[in-house]
Amino acid sequence: MIHRYETPQPARQILDRAAPVLLAGLTRKEILIGGGTALAARWGHRSSSDIYITVLPAAFSRSIDRLIQMLGQTGIAQFESGQGWMKGVYEEGEFGISTTEPLLPVRVEPRERESIWNIALESIEEILARKILLRMNQNGEFVVRDFYDVVTAGDLAPQTLEAALTVLENHQRKEIADEITHFGARLGNRITNLGRPLLDVHRPEWLPTLANRAALLIADGHGLSRNQSPKAESFTGILSDATV
């Protein structure tokens, strides 16, 4: 059974601009909508102002020149590209394509699709794995929307978060959690200043302890129940090396 999800605004406007070009240069089997937009379409947990598409390297290499030319006619600006990636900015927000090979086993046939353009959504596990391994671990970049996505996954889909965390060794999980703890201690309520603004969140009561919640989930992996607040003493026990 195919499940269809509506892309949230303003990401939907970006997709409406780019989708005709994508479908002219690639087949639907070669395109996946990834990132926070695919999570927000499923969960409705926050707004999303970007669209990121993942394709396999062979498909990207075959079609990149044509895609660049055609996208230039859709109002995209600040356009740049490199080996295996491209990105630009529309009036509504960012658009990009990545060719990173899947980190987790690929589903034979994605059963979750965008409702208007019928483009498959990347799996929740793969999206979270990319955020945690490629952005948090390899690039060492922290953005508040990733923290919020991790905490939402721990609340709504803990099995997918557990699957995503398998891309990390235990020591990597603790290292990332410690760094998030440092950010939370240093920034306090200003944690929401990391990256683009976090808007239209479904659980605003999480925000004061968002960094602690995300760090605990990444380090521990067991997650928090819906009504449980992170205890300072248990959190410190797990992340005993953290300092301000």
Side-chain angles (χ1 to χ4, degrees):
M1 180 178 179
I2 301 295
H3 299 278
R4 301 187 186 278
Y5 297 89
E6 183 176 349
T7 303
Q9 299 286 10
R12 165 67 189 282
Q13 295 172 276
I14 303 170
L15 184 62
D16 287 346
R17 286 180 182 257
V21 171
L22 294 171
L23 295 173
L26 299 162
T27 70
R28 278 187 173 82
K29 290 185 177 180
E30 295 172 326
I31 307 171
L32 291 170
I33 298 174
T37 298
L39 299 180
R42 291 172 168 111
W43 297 334
H45 66 308
R46 64 175 177 88
S47 66
S48 177
S49 59
D50 55 35
I51 287 282
Y52 278 88
I53 304 295
T54 61
V55 301
L56 293 177
F60 182 85
S61 298
R62 185 193 73 238
S63 58
I64 182 58
D65 291 339
R66 184 182 180 194
L67 288 175
I68 289 175
Q69 181 180 13
M70 294 177 68
L71 285 168
Q73 301 170 12
T74 65
I76 199 167
Q78 299 180 33
F79 186 84
E80 54 185 315
S81 64
Q83 186 173 1
W85 62 272
M86 56 173 286
K87 65 180 180 179
V89 178
Y90 286 111
E91 179 182 354
E92 299 84 1
E94 296 181 359
F95 170 81
I97 296 177
S98 169
T99 64
T100 306
E101 292 282 2
L103 301 174
L104 298 169
V106 181
R107 296 177 180 177
V108 176
E109 179 63 31
R111 298 188 179 276
E112 298 175 312
R113 292 182 170 271
E114 196 274 335
S115 60
I116 302 300
W117 295 99
N118 196 33
I119 298 174
L121 304 183
E122 193 168 34
S123 73
I124 297 172
E125 301 95 310
E126 183 69 23
I127 294 169
L128 295 172
R130 288 173 188 265
K131 288 174 175 286
I132 293 167
L133 177 64
L134 302 183
R135 184 144 62 204
M136 293 184 184
N137 185 62
Q138 294 188 8
N139 291 341
E141 179 184 359
F142 295 105
V143 293
V144 69
R145 61 186 183 277
D146 289 347
F147 296 167
Y148 198 79
D149 290 343
V150 165
V151 175
T152 302
D155 184 47
L156 299 179
Q159 295 86 356
T160 65
L161 180 57
E162 284 293 334
L165 287 167
T166 63
V167 300
L168 296 177
E169 301 291 339
N170 286 339
H171 72 90
Q172 293 173 312
R173 290 168 66 157
K174 186 176 185 301
E175 288 167 3
I176 292 172
D178 284 350
E179 289 189 50
I180 295 173
T181 306
H182 297 324
F183 274 97
R186 187 168 74 248
L187 295 177
N189 289 335
R190 293 181 293 111
I191 195 74
T192 54
N193 294 336
L194 289 174
R196 291 192 300 278
L198 187 61
L199 302 174
D200 301 324
V201 296
H202 78 307
R203 297 291 295 274
E205 69 273 17
W206 286 349
L207 297 182
T209 57
L210 185 62
N212 282 12
R213 287 176 177 271
L216 180 60
L217 285 165
I218 290 172
D220 187 22
H222 298 304
L224 300 172
S225 66
R226 288 183 184 222
N227 298 318
Q228 181 182 356
S229 298
K231 303 283 187 186
E233 61 270 22
S234 62
F235 183 76
T236 304
I238 292 172
L239 305 177
S240 57
D241 296 337
T243 57
V244 177

